[in-house]
């Protein structure tokens, strides 16, 4: 399958600390790639570079027909809003909005009307079995519940490319399975490419392919499909 996103020779240093040192990465549409590796190895930095949040010091990132590093800030923001989805371990929900409004927010920001946006949001909350939280604010739900709401939000605009940093980190195994089931379904049904950072092998088992980050470099797992 042709690559949706390809990164080559990414390097990034924070002060004297090397976070990435010539990292390469590639993902195709509909593919779920697990990014593993020890704490401090550069996984989060890699994700932030690929997502256009943090610029690498050196290297190249191509997304579809675009050179990510020479896009204007406005064009990068538009890509993040319209084509990418994000879910982080401590998913930042907007505290003033209800859970339903939080999930609908990416659609609202893309100009979708309130009713259709909230209908889609309600469907996703239901698939993660947190529909009862629709009217609650993030401050009224548990960490695990909030994480599932953040996963629902990350998928609401049918992203082509989803960045998930420890999306099951606060979840028990049943809810971790629900979240991974939904991410894999997005890949299979909508062709979403999923970059999944995890340190849990049972979560990585849902992926099509695993890569390991070590000392700021990426290598494919031996024997990976
Ligand atoms: P991982 O996600 O694998 O734990 P990170 O990408 O978070 O790894 O970190 C890689 C290295 O870069 C670590 O040494 C970390 O301390 C450093 N680092 C990451 N982000 C920053 C930052 N914003 N400022 C300074 N150092 C950072
Ligand atoms: P999980 O995070 O896996 O959903 P928890 O063990 O954190 O489960 O929470 C169990 C229940 O306790 C939740 O279903 C929720 O109703 C309640 N709860 C937990 N934390 C909070 C909180 N900070 N505010 C309100 N209710 C909470």
């Amino acid at each position: 399958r042709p690559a949706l996103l390809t990164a080559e020779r990414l390097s990034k240093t924070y002060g004297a600390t090397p976070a990435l040192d010539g990292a390469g990465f590639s993902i195709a549409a509909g593919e779920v790639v697990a990014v593993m590796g020890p704490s401090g190895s550069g996984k989060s930095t890699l994700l932030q570079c690929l997502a256009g949040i943090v610029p690498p010091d050196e290297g190249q990132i191509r997304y579809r027909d675009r050179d990510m590093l020479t896009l204007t800030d406005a064009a990068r923001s538009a890509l993040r809003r319209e084509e990418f989805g994000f879910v982080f371990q401590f998913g930042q929900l907007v505290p003033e909005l209800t859970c339903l409004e939080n999930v609908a927010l990416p659609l609202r920001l893309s100009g979708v009307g309130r009713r259709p946006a909230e209908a889609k949001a309600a469907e996703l909350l239901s698939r993660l079995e947190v529909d009862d939280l629709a009217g609650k604010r993030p401050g009224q739900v548990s960490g695990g519940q909030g994480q599932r709401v953040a996963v629902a939000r990350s998928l609401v605009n049918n992203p082509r490319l989803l960045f998930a940093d420890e999306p099951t980190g606060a979840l028990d195994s049943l809810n971790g399975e629900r979240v991974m089931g939904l991410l894999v379904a997005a890949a299979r049904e909508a062709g979403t490419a999923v970059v999944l950072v995890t340190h849990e092998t049972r979560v990585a088992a849902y992926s099509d392919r695993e890569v390991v980050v070590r000392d700021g470099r990426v290598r494919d797992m031996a024997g990976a499909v």
Side-chain angles (χ1 to χ4, degrees):
R1 283 179 294 188
L4 180 72
L5 177 88
T6 304
E8 290 171 5
R9 301 181 311 278
L10 296 183
S11 293
K12 176 80 187 175
T13 299
Y14 290 106
T17 309
L20 293 179
D21 178 21
F25 184 84
S26 178
I27 189 168
E31 194 179 27
V32 180
V33 178
V35 178
M36 306 193 68
S39 178
S41 60
K43 302 182 296 296
S44 293
T45 304
L46 175 67
L47 205 75
Q48 290 175 334
C49 287
L50 297 176
I53 297 168
V54 163
D57 300 330
E58 285 176 59
Q60 253 198 0
I61 305 174
R62 290 199 70 77
Y63 170 72
R64 301 179 69 201
D65 56 348
R66 273 157 283 194
D67 177 347
M68 287 285 284
L69 303 179
T70 58
L71 289 180
T72 62
D73 287 346
R76 251 193 308 274
S77 301
L79 269 188
R80 285 199 298 267
R81 196 170 57 240
E82 289 159 18
E83 302 199 17
F84 297 175
F86 297 92
V87 49
F88 298 109
Q89 181 163 7
F90 303 102
Q92 306 90 337
L93 299 171
V94 181
E96 294 81 10
L97 300 180
T98 66
C99 288
L100 185 71
E101 289 165 344
N102 264 283
V103 176
L105 188 60
L107 289 175
R108 300 288 287 127
L109 292 174
S110 302
V112 177
R114 192 169 66 85
R115 274 166 185 261
E118 292 190 352
K120 182 79 200 285
E123 180 196 320
L124 279 162
L125 286 177
S126 167
R127 287 183 71 171
L128 287 167
E129 302 193 31
V130 281
D131 20 351
D132 53 319
L133 305 182
K136 293 192 176 177
R137 288 179 209 288
Q140 298 171 297
V141 309
S142 75
Q145 291 170 332
Q147 193 163 24
R148 277 177 282 162
V149 172
V151 168
R153 183 180 59 181
S154 75
L155 289 170
V156 78
N157 61 345
N158 271 328
R160 282 181 192 268
L161 182 54
L162 180 72
F163 296 98
D165 197 349
E166 299 280 5
T168 60
L171 300 178
D172 59 31
S173 54
L174 173 62
N175 285 311
E177 284 165 23
R178 281 188 185 131
V179 162
M180 288 314 302
L182 196 62
L183 297 186
V184 170
R188 298 295 173 260
E189 293 162 22
T192 301
V194 181
V195 184
L196 167 72
V197 172
T198 183
H199 64 269
E200 296 177 85
T201 49
R202 73 181 163 79
V203 172
Y206 285 86
S207 71
D208 300 310
R209 182 159 64 86
E210 295 177 18
V211 300
V212 177
V213 184
R214 222 177 279 283
D215 300 327
R217 302 183 72 95
V218 181
R219 66 180 173 82
D220 280 291
M221 285 287 276
V225 283

